[in-house]
Amino acid sequence: VCEYVSGKYDVDEDFANLRSEIDRLEKEESIDSSCERIHVYYMALPPSVFVDVATHIKKNVYDESCTNRVVIEKPFGHDLESSRQLSKDIGALFDETEVFRIDHYLGKEMVKNIMSLRFANVFYEAVWNRHYISNVQITFKEPFGTEGRGGYFDQFGIIRDVMQNHLLQVLCIVAMNQPQSLNAEDIRDSKTEVLKRILPIQLEDTMLGQYVGTIDGSKPGYKDDDTVPKDSNTPTFAECVLHVDNDRWRGVPWVIKAGKALNEARMLIRIQFKDMPNSLFPNLARNELVIQVSPKESVYIKTIVKEPGLSTNLAMSELDLTYKTRYHDIKIPDAYATLILDVLNGDHSNFVRSDELDEAWRIFTPLLHQIESENIKPLPYEYGSRGPEGVYQFIEDRTGYKRTNLEYHWEAPQ
């Protein structure tokens, strides 16, 4: 059944009509108050109307005789102050157990797999700390620009759009200590504990970029979009180095990087291990564990082996779990489908709690305010490139990341 009810965000009568339509449909299906019912209000709306719509839902649509749940899409606030005010306003209307702040990256198969990978395998968890790991990189790349929605994007920029939510949530799951149980609140407690130990990001540990058109004119620049102000300094690319100040991660740099109009579509987590101490083999390349979230779900470990045959030369290879070859008969559900099922089941494990959100904004707000108050100009980069000039040197200088000195290129098995 799919029905549509037209109305305005701030008109009581329109919300009352929505309630009447819900009642009518339930009556037609012989669903009465004795049945176990769940009403889900999914607010995929401009943030400016969240409170208005939530207020009218509670006043005109909310049904005391059933379970009510409200799903709120990002961005949840613009900075720490606005996020706290929004949480306060929503909290005055709905109980925290009724609120589901959705971040679809938490529904992605490979992100959900991180906890199993870490806590169900003794050899991963044994080396998952500062004694063995040199640096961690979490990368999000899109091969297209704002494509006509630049006016909307310009209000937020890449940090608010992707990094403060998607990438920071992934970082939490990679960095957190083992929760006491698989209970939703225990998992969210562990994530919040990590966030509380992350120091605010410094401008000197941040690289900002904004894409420009291609030399041949085939692809437009960000400010070529008619909806974007011609003097906009909104970043479409950002790279930040973070530090988690706890016993497990102290001294390990974490890089989160996101950009539009780059050379490929890719989201991955790259964990680079430290150099082999007292190695028999000099100048070894470092081992890496790579979790590719999209587009081809996979986990692989870059491993050094001897070249086959009579040679004693070393080669870089991989231990590879590519989902489409190992699980070719299983369909991986869409992230949103997974999360909506969680909403119906009342499972908050993969949703953001209010104190998590508060800590996330604490980490980014000083940086965002400094960028805006000082009108920091982002570095230009060509549409379809890897990012601004010096992007890899920036990482190497601040994290000690080492490129492999052995010929290597991973390809997903056919």
Side-chain angles (χ1 to χ4, degrees):
V1 177
C2 182
E3 299 283 340
Y4 177 79
V5 179
S6 177
K8 295 182 178 180
Y9 295 143
D10 57 354
V11 177
D12 280 333
E13 184 180 354
D14 292 342
F15 283 87
N17 289 339
L18 174 61
R19 173 61 189 267
S20 298
E21 187 67 8
I22 294 171
D23 291 342
R24 181 186 68 79
L25 290 169
E26 289 186 338
K27 185 176 181 180
E28 286 182 1
E29 297 294 327
S30 300
I31 300 171
D32 58 33
S33 58
S34 64
C35 300
E36 183 178 354
R37 295 171 298 138
I38 302 171
H39 288 180
V40 177
Y41 312 106
Y42 195 119
M43 298 203 298
L45 301 167
S48 58
V49 300
F50 280 168
V51 175
D52 278 346
V53 172
T55 300
H56 286 287
I57 287 173
K58 187 61 184 282
K59 180 180 178 182
N60 301 289
V61 190
Y62 190 94
D63 189 342
E64 297 283 359
S65 69
C66 73
T67 299
N68 296 268
R69 291 171 183 150
V70 58
V71 181
I72 304 177
E73 275 275 9
K74 72 171 184 69
F76 200 88
H78 197 74
D79 57 11
L80 180 58
E81 183 180 356
S82 62
S83 173
R84 283 178 173 172
Q85 185 61 50
L86 188 52
S87 290
K88 181 180 178 181
D89 293 341
I90 296 294
L93 299 167
F94 297 93
D95 188 81
E96 180 68 18
T97 60
E98 296 177 312
V99 178
F100 291 75
R101 298 172 191 84
I102 194 167
D103 184 326
H104 77 278
Y105 262 73
L106 293 179
K108 286 186 175 290
E109 180 66 27
M110 297 310 297
V111 175
K112 296 179 73 172
N113 193 33
I114 293 170
M115 281 184 57
S116 302
L117 194 72
R118 288 189 55 190
F119 302 124
N121 296 286
V122 65
F123 51 90
Y124 285 124
E125 187 60 12
V127 297
W128 211 271
N129 55 61
R130 61 188 171 88
H131 301 296
Y132 296 96
I133 291 175
S134 168
N135 59 85
V136 183
Q137 298 178 43
I138 302 172
T139 302
F140 170 91
K141 301 169 80 173
E142 285 184 336
F144 48 84
T146 53
E147 312 298 329
R149 60 185 289 270
Y152 174 81
F153 180 85
D154 201 69
Q155 301 174 53
F156 302 101
I158 197 70
I159 296 177
R160 290 184 175 95
D161 192 43
V162 177
M163 300 176 79
Q164 180 272 340
N165 36 68
H166 299 329
L167 301 193
L168 194 60
Q169 283 293 313
V170 173
L171 185 153
C172 287
I173 299 172
V174 176
M176 72 181 188
N177 289 324
Q178 181 172 313
Q180 292 185 3
S181 74
L182 293 176
N183 175 275
E185 296 312 309
D186 287 337
I187 292 171
R188 300 203 290 184
D189 284 345
S190 291
K191 288 165 60 186
T192 305
E193 181 187 343
V194 169
L195 287 169
K196 288 180 177 179
R197 305 305 300 176
I198 298 177
L199 305 175
I201 303 169
Q202 303 300 308
L203 183 60
E204 56 266 29
D205 289 329
T206 304
M207 173 181 274
L208 304 174
Q210 187 184 90
Y211 69 88
V212 297
T214 53
I215 295 174
D216 63 6
S218 61
K219 293 290 185 180
Y222 176 67
K223 288 188 282 193
D224 294 331
D225 186 329
D226 291 337
T227 63
V228 174
K230 298 308 176 188
D231 60 349
S232 172
N233 284 330
T234 299
T236 60
F237 172 97
E239 185 170 54
C240 301
V241 180
L242 296 81
H243 298 276
V244 182
D245 187 27
N246 63 13
D247 289 342
R248 182 187 286 264
W249 297 114
R250 190 169 292 115
V252 177
W254 293 71
V255 178
I256 55 175
K257 177 170 67 175
K260 290 184 170 292
L262 296 175
N263 61 313
E264 61 182 343
R266 206 175 191 196
M267 197 282 170
L268 60 79
I269 304 156
R270 183 182 303 276
I271 300 169
Q272 185 175 75
F273 292 88
K274 292 185 175 182
D275 293 319
M276 189 77 170
N278 305 316
S279 175
L280 290 172
F281 305 97
N283 302 317
L284 280 177
R286 287 177 169 178
N287 299 124
E288 292 182 0
L289 171 65
V290 180
I291 303 170
Q292 183 152 308
V293 177
S294 62
K296 298 175 181 177
E297 295 90 349
S298 57
V299 182
Y300 59 95
I301 304 175
K302 293 171 67 172
T303 306
I304 299 170
V305 297
K306 187 187 81 68
E307 287 183 352
L310 300 177
S311 170
T312 59
N313 293 334
L314 300 180
M316 181 67 82
S317 187
E318 72 277 327
L319 303 176
D320 187 355
L321 168 59
T322 297
Y323 270 48
K324 72 174 184 179
T325 55
R326 178 65 179 84
Y327 303 112
H328 49 83
D329 292 330
I330 297 177
K331 178 176 174 57
I332 297 175
D334 176 78
Y336 277 107
T338 300
L339 293 174
I340 290 172
L341 182 61
D342 286 343
V343 173
L344 293 172
N345 290 329
D347 184 356
H348 281 86
S349 302
N350 298 306
F351 295 84
V352 181
R353 202 167 60 189
S354 59
D355 55 344
E356 283 183 74
L357 187 67
D358 205 60
E359 291 296 332
W361 279 118
R362 174 192 61 79
I363 293 164
F364 278 97
T365 293
L367 173 68
L368 289 165
H369 284 180
Q370 185 177 1
I371 290 170
E372 290 160 0
S373 65
E374 297 180 13
N375 203 23
I376 304 296
K377 189 173 182 179
L379 299 171
Y381 64 95
E382 187 178 355
Y383 194 122
S385 69
R386 294 178 178 272
E389 184 178 352
V391 63
Y392 291 109
Q393 192 63 46
F394 178 89
I395 294 177
E396 292 171 12
D397 290 345
R398 286 164 175 76
T399 68
Y401 173 75
K402 290 185 179 180
R403 292 173 175 272
T404 180
N405 54 7
L406 297 172
E407 184 176 340
Y408 176 79
H409 178 67
W410 179 83
E411 291 184 1
Q414 299 300 313

